Amino acid sequence: MKKSAIILGATGLTGNILLQKLIEDDRYKIIKLFSRSKIENLPNKVTQFIGDLLKLEQFKEDFKADEVYCCIGTTKSKTPNKEKYKQIDYGIPVTAAKLSKENNIDTFLVVSALGANANSSVFYNKTKGEMERDVQKQNIKNTFIFRPSLIGGEREEQRTLEKIGLTIFKIIQPLFIGSLKQYKITEPENMAQAMINLANSTSYVGDIITSNDIKRITKNK
C-alpha cells in the first residue's frame, strides 16, 4: 500500500534532500509540502500548501498523511530576535505535533539539535529542549527526535565566516574520538536517509536519535 508524507521545511537543506528522496521512493504516492514559498518543477505526486507556518492551524483539514517530517529550523544569525526564533523553532514543530495527534498521524519525525535541554541556561538549547518535551507530550505512537551536531552541506545563504568555520570543523574532525564523536559533522544526506529509514522500520520504537546513531541508521536501507 502506497504511503503519504508531509514535509515541513522542504526549502531548507535537509528538507530539500529529504523531498528528493521521497519523490524517488516508490513507497510514497503523495507528498505534501507546507511552506512559505513555492518550489518549482515538482512532479504530480507533490502538493504544495503555501502560507504562514506560524499559523499552521489554518491547514488542519489538509494536514493529513501517514508520516510527518519536520525539518523546520532557523539560526541565531538569521533570526537574532529571540521571540521570533522561539516562534519558529518551538512553535511550528509543537503545533505540527498537535495537528498530527488530532488527525491520527502515527509517525512524527523532527529535527532538534545536540545539546537540547529544557533546563538549560542557554536560550537556544533550552528552546530546543522545550520543543522536544512538548512534542513528546502529544504521545504520538512513533515519535523520532533527531539531535544532530553541526549539519554540513552547502547552503545558499551561508556566509563567508560560516563557510570558514565549517571548513575548520571538518579539518579537526579526526581528533574527535570517544565521547567527542557525537560532535562530528552530520551530513544532511545522512539525516534525510535516517529519517526515511526510521519511518519505514518496524524494529525501532520512537526515541531520541543522537548524532552517533544517525550514520548507523543511514546504512540500514
Side-chain angles (χ1 to χ4, degrees):
M1 185 174 175
K2 299 289 186 178
K3 303 174 74 177
S4 58
I6 287 171
I7 303 177
L8 295 162
T11 57
L13 180 61
T14 301
N16 192 257
I17 293 173
L18 173 67
L19 169 61
Q20 298 307 317
K21 286 180 175 292
L22 291 184
I23 288 173
E24 296 169 4
D25 196 322
D26 292 336
R27 291 172 294 188
Y28 293 85
K29 181 179 181 180
I30 299 171
I31 302 169
K32 297 181 180 182
L33 308 184
F34 292 84
S35 55
R36 293 180 299 171
S37 56
K38 186 176 182 180
I39 301 175
E40 301 294 339
N41 303 316
L42 293 178
N44 291 334
K45 72 190 288 186
V46 180
T47 302
Q48 301 188 66
F49 299 88
I50 309 301
D52 186 355
L53 296 190
L54 297 180
K55 301 176 181 177
L56 194 59
E57 297 92 342
Q58 68 184 310
F59 295 113
K60 182 177 179 178
E61 293 305 312
D62 295 305
F63 203 89
K64 295 175 181 177
D66 296 306
E67 304 159 3
V68 172
Y69 296 83
C70 186
C71 304
I72 286 290
T74 186
T75 63
K76 182 179 180 180
S77 60
K78 287 174 63 176
T79 312
N81 182 285
K82 290 185 177 181
E83 181 179 352
K84 189 72 171 181
Y85 181 97
K86 189 164 185 175
Q87 288 176 349
I88 296 170
D89 270 45
Y90 169 87
I92 296 175
V94 172
T95 300
K98 290 178 179 178
L99 289 177
S100 297
K101 184 66 174 181
E102 292 172 11
N103 288 341
N104 299 310
I105 299 173
D106 286 339
T107 301
F108 187 88
L109 306 98
V110 61
V111 179
S112 181
L114 184 67
N117 183 346
N119 297 315
S120 175
S121 59
V122 178
F123 172 77
Y124 302 97
N125 292 349
K126 181 179 178 67
T127 299
K128 288 292 190 183
E130 290 174 340
M131 179 274 288
E132 292 185 0
R133 178 197 65 201
D134 291 344
V135 162
Q136 290 177 315
K137 282 183 179 179
Q138 306 313 309
N139 293 316
I140 298 169
K141 182 179 179 181
N142 301 305
T143 300
F144 297 101
I145 296 174
F146 290 76
R147 288 182 181 171
S149 59
L150 179 66
I151 296 179
E154 291 293 326
R155 296 166 175 80
E156 290 183 5
E157 79 282 2
Q158 195 172 61
R159 300 172 184 175
T160 301
L161 287 177
E162 291 172 329
K163 289 183 178 181
I164 293 172
L166 190 57
T167 299
I168 294 172
F169 207 76
K170 287 180 179 179
I171 292 172
I172 65 174
Q173 279 201 106
L175 301 176
F176 293 177
I177 60 175
S179 61
L180 293 179
K181 284 184 178 180
Q182 63 181 322
Y183 296 105
K184 285 189 174 183
I185 292 172
T186 300
E187 296 299 334
E189 171 86 14
N190 289 343
M191 271 289 304
Q193 190 61 58
M195 294 179 87
I196 295 171
N197 289 355
L198 285 182
N200 289 279
S201 172
T202 57
S203 60
Y204 286 90
V205 295
D207 202 356
I208 300 291
I209 311 302
T210 67
S211 58
N212 287 339
D213 292 329
I214 290 170
K215 190 171 183 179
R216 175 177 56 81
I217 294 170
T218 300
K219 298 177 182 178
N220 298 332
K221 284 190 177 182

